[in-house]
Each structure stands twice: as C-alpha cells, then as structure tokens.
Amino acid sequence: MNNNIKIYEYEDKYAESLAEMWNKSSENWGGYDHLITTETIIDEHKSIDFINTYLAVDEEKNCVVGYCGFSEYRNDEGALYLPIINVRPDYQGKKIGKALVLKTVERTIELDWPRLDLYSWAGNTKAVPLYKKCGFFWEKRDDNVHLMNFIPSVLQTEALSEYFNEIDWYQDCLRDIKLTEDGKKENDYNHYEYIWKIDDDRLKVGFERLARGMRKIETPDYLIETSLDNYSLVYGEKYKIRYKILNKSNKKLNIEIKGEDDKSIDFSYHKKKSVKDKAIFEGEFYLNKGDEAISGDKTHPAVKANIKINGKKAVFKEGIKIKSPLEVNLNIPAGRKFKNTENKLYIEIKNNYKEKVNFSFSLPSTSEIIFSKNNFNVELEAREKIVISLEYYLLKSCFYKKKIKGRVVLKGNDIMKENKFDFEVSGVFRGTKSKFGLRVDEGWILANGSHAVLLNKDNNHLSYLDMDEEEREISFIHPRIGMPFSHEFSKKEADKVEFYESDDAYCMRVIFESEEYNGLHLISVIKLMSDGLVENYYELYNLGDNEYQDLTLSHSFYYDLSNT
C-alpha cells in the first residue's frame, strides 16, 4: 500500500470526503444514482452500531478512498463480523482492501474474539483471493459466499504463542489460493488447515467446520489430533472420541486432557500422561437431545476438551450434528384437496441407527382430518428409508401438527435395547377455498386457495409455492436499507409476523426491528390473492430518537431466465 494511504477511525471531519467516496463507488454496488451528502454520512454514523469504522485516507490528496465497518455477528455465536468493505474504484489494486481487512483481524484479536466472519453475494467472488490470503476460509454453502477467519483463535492459543514469536502469521502462511470453496472432506464434513513455514519445517493448525473449533496442532516437535468415527449421531447414546498424540522429538511431551460439557454434550473425561513416542487416548461422551434443530451454517454442539501441552493450554473441539433416532415426515401429494373426499398421503421414515430397529407410533386423527389407520409398527434395517401410504378423509383445510411419542427397539448383536423419544410431524392440507397463514420449520407460509408463498426465516427471501409446495424459479430477495446498503435483513429473523384477511386477499405483515439503524422498524406487507397474484410493499417507521435522511430501500428479485 502506498505510504500516503493511512488507516484511521471514522470521525465526522471525514464525512464530506466519505460521501464523495460513496458517490464515486456506485459501480461497486450495482450502480445507483442517489447522491450521498455530508449530512447523510454524519446522521448515519450516529446510529450505526459498528464496533469500529475504519477509513483509508490518502493524506497527500486529503481524501477518503476506503471504508470498512466492523460489528458483532448476530447470526451465530463466537464471532465478529465484517459487514461492509469498499475501495474507491480508482484506488483498487493498491492493497487498500488488504490493509482494511488486516486491521479488522488485528482488532478481533485485541478484543479476544475467536473468529471473524464475512459474507458476499454469490456472484461477487473477485475479492475471495484477498480474503483467503488474510486468513479466511470459504465455507461450502448453496446460497451465498460465507468466509470464516480463525487466525484470532490461533494467536490466542497459549500452546502456539512461542511459534509466532518467530514467524509472521500473514507473511509466512503457505496457502494455495484458489477461487473455490475450502476444506478437506471427511464423513461429509469439512476440515480447514493453516500451514506456516518454520525454517525447513512446518506448523499446521486444523479447524473443524461444525464446531468452528481447533482439532489439530502439528509442530516440528509433536502432533495432536482429534477424530470421530461419525459426525452425525443419534441423541440418547454414548460415543467415543480419540486423541492421537505423536512425540516427534527427544524432548518430554506432557499431555493433560480435561473434557468439558458443551450444550447437549456431557464430557467429563480426564487423562494425564507423558508421551515418549505415540499414544491414542479414547474418551466417552453422552449426547443429549438438543433444544432445537441447528442449521448447517451455525455453530454446532462440540466435544470440547482443554488440552495442556507441556503446561500450555489449547482448546480442541469436534462438532456434532445431532440426529433424532428416526425421522418421520408427511409427504402430501400435489393437487387440489376437496372437502369431504378421500385422499392419500405418504409417511416417510428414516432409521438413523446403524442397527436394525422395530419402530412403533400413533398418528391421531382430528376434527379436520381422519386417517384410515392410526397405529403403526414397522421394521427397518440400519440406515434404511421406507415409505408408508396412508388414506385420509379431509373434513376441512388445515395445518396438521402433532407431537408424537415413538418407541424403538434396537436389534443388534443379539442384544435388544428399547428407547422412547418424542418427534413432531406436520403437513399442510390445502383446499380450493382455504385461507390461512402458519409458521413452519422453514419460515412462514401464506396460503389462499391453491396458491401459497413462503417467507424463508434464514434469509428472508419470499418465494412462490406451486401446488406441490415446491418453489418456483422466482423469488424476492431480502430488503436492504441505506446508503450504503445494510445486509442485516439477509440473516435476521423477523421480530413479529401477523396474518389477516383483506377482501379477496390473505395477508402477512412481517415486522423487522433494525439493529444497525436504531429505532427503525421495517414492515413488509405481503398480500396473496385467490388467483395467485402477489403484492408486496414496505412501510418504514422511525420509533427512535435519531433522525435519518435520504434513506433508500432496495428490493431485488431473482428469476431464472432459462425458463423463458
């Protein structure tokens, strides 16, 4: 970076020049013709709850040429977040972006947070090589580009501190930079690894995706690595975790491992030993049922251990994807469901045990729907999936949702073991004239006759559902307010959802309370007509003490042109 470029904390004295930077950067953000003013910048920075706001300033020309916001990550635990970074187009290629990113990594370390995350939209990957060079790993996801930086965890680990007295984490990192998702796959889950050069040797530190935690340290003197046979495990059982220890030197290697409970995992293991050459320690942990399902892109419960290596501490974690003993889902075929008629649905059952099981449960009828059979007893092989057809009589359009008590008997190695567990089944039985709204696992469904829309709780995309409840290739993207545009609603779940009827339409009122613009409430009103027409508009209320001027609302949609 040019010596004339310096990084400073935002102050109002830079507002005029910062406004000029945004006005010259519209091409970075898809193009906009809205003029940003000095007053806009000052008002905006009174309410933005960034921990720090960094500016890159060209001191020779006395102008702001780069901007970086930095905040707490609210959609997952244990991380800070880089929500926005911008470099003026005529200053790109001068390593200003790198300097801003490294500043946020440095600040994350100072604040003693273990991780720094950032997002980019799927089509914007040109900055990914820069992020990777600065310590980020690209996590495999279907909907967006999400990156995680574990350098703060590395530098905060006592057992590794002596090595970074000699090496520079940025300069000495050996990284094969590719424009692809990162990770070494093992049992369908990814591990990430940093490698640093130490003279003619290497320092390797590995992290595990589910727990977002350290799982491996390999130095010129020793190797410590954790492993599980499987990362997808049924709750209510005991399992083993292994710690592989390898002493690569002639020095003493004193190891102490102390397990620690974490969320749904009980782990009271304790082992202390001096390892001369190699050893494998095996600990046992118990997996409880989690309070709620955890999506694949959030921190999972971990088998956690505090390991002392010659008296110096490191925290190791292996994440677990907790599974129900059996999964039961209702598959309701496409087509209109007329009242007072017989129809057919399918019960899909998956055995998550690695043993053969006998499974029994009851599916109660209600005042809206009568099943031809209520009691079921089936046998499934290990990991087997089966489908049971079931006739039903629909008395009234409804959303069926019941908590069911299941009984399972495991049949393995001539040993019979019984387990009881609760599970939930649900399904939408939509008629030709029904109107209703409801909360489902994916978010909120609004239905009117044979038409429905889904508001996804994870990304706030609004999608049209056809009669077989599959999304069509058109959807409305999460709203953004700014300028510059905030992406907080790309992950923030709605604070409140209300349903009501209006003439021919059935409506959903979705309320978001902004955290980046204190006091602002953004309300999305969605109206679904009986013919399938959808109307969506927004209301914006300022219920706080701050005044906001020249706010812009951006609302995009996606359509697959291959369908035209």
Side-chain angles (χ1 to χ4, degrees), residues 73 75-79 114-115 117 139 141 146 148 150 208-213 262-263 292-302 317 319-320:
Y73 189 36
N75 297 298
D76 195 11
E77 61 187 69
R115 195 176 91 236
D117 285 22
E139 181 184 23
R141 293 194 186 181
H146 177 246
M148 300 182 290
F150 301 105
E208 191 272 322
R209 178 194 176 199
L210 290 181
R212 277 83 160 104
D262 183 73
K263 298 178 183 173
E292 60 180 27
I294 300 175
S295 64
D297 57 1
K298 292 189 177 181
T299 302
H300 284 57
K317 295 180 180 181
I320 302 293

Side-chain angles (χ1 to χ4, degrees), residues 326-342:
L326 288 96
E327 297 174 24
V328 183
N329 295 295
L330 300 183
N331 184 341
I332 304 164
R336 290 180 172 86
K337 309 295 187 296
F338 294 96
K339 290 170 59 177
N340 302 317
T341 60
E342 287 186 356

Side-chain angles (χ1 to χ4, degrees), residues 236-237 353 358 360 406-411 415-421:
E237 301 287 334
Y353 283 110
N358 180 273
S360 57
R407 175 180 176 271
V408 59
V409 178
L410 282 73
K411 301 179 177 181
I415 298 175
M416 303 280 283
K417 186 172 72 171
E418 181 178 323
N419 188 12
K420 294 181 179 179
F421 69 101

Side-chain angles (χ1 to χ4, degrees), residues 364-502:
S365 299
T366 70
S367 59
E368 290 120 348
I369 186 169
I370 298 174
F371 298 113
S372 62
K373 181 180 178 181
N374 298 109
N375 299 314
F376 301 86
N377 190 294
V378 295
E379 203 164 76
L380 296 93
E381 297 293 335
R383 315 292 189 189
E384 183 183 8
K385 298 179 183 179
I386 66 170
V387 177
I388 301 171
S389 65
L390 176 64
E391 294 181 347
Y392 67 92
Y393 194 79
L394 186 64
L395 302 177
K396 183 181 178 182
S397 298
C398 67
F399 175 57
Y400 182 87
K401 184 177 182 179
K402 295 290 181 182
K403 181 174 284 189
I404 310 296
K405 293 187 178 298
R407 175 180 176 271
V408 59
V409 178
L410 282 73
K411 301 179 177 181
N413 300 323
D414 298 324
I415 298 175
M416 303 280 283
K417 186 172 72 171
E418 181 178 323
N419 188 12
K420 294 181 179 179
F421 69 101
D422 296 338
F423 62 94
E424 192 175 86
V425 295
S426 62
V428 178
F429 295 86
R430 240 171 29 210
T432 56
K433 296 182 179 179
S434 59
K435 297 179 181 179
F436 58 86
L438 52 96
R439 173 69 189 259
V440 295
D441 290 342
E442 296 83 3
W444 295 267
I445 285 181
L446 181 67
N448 191 346
S450 58
H451 304 282
V453 292
L454 169 70
L455 179 67
N456 189 294
K457 67 179 177 62
D458 292 325
N459 57 21
N460 290 313
H461 289 192
L462 180 67
S463 304
Y464 191 92
L465 302 177
D466 59 22
M467 291 187 61
D468 60 3
E469 296 182 17
E470 292 184 357
E471 295 185 24
R472 293 183 181 176
E473 293 301 315
I474 183 170
S475 61
F476 291 94
I477 312 302
H478 64 270
R480 299 182 297 160
I481 52 177
M483 191 80 70
F485 287 124
S486 163
H487 287 271
E488 67 170 314
F489 301 126
S490 67
K491 291 293 171 183
K492 176 179 168 57
E493 186 172 316
D495 293 283
K496 188 176 182 181
V497 176
E498 303 168 339
F499 298 98
Y500 63 95
E501 190 170 358
S502 176

Side-chain angles (χ1 to χ4, degrees), residues 346-364:
Y346 299 92
I347 305 173
E348 300 172 341
I349 305 174
K350 179 186 176 184
N351 177 19
N352 286 322
Y353 283 110
K354 57 182 180 181
E355 296 92 9
K356 183 178 181 179
V357 301
N358 180 273
F359 178 46
S360 57
F361 65 97
S362 297
L363 194 66

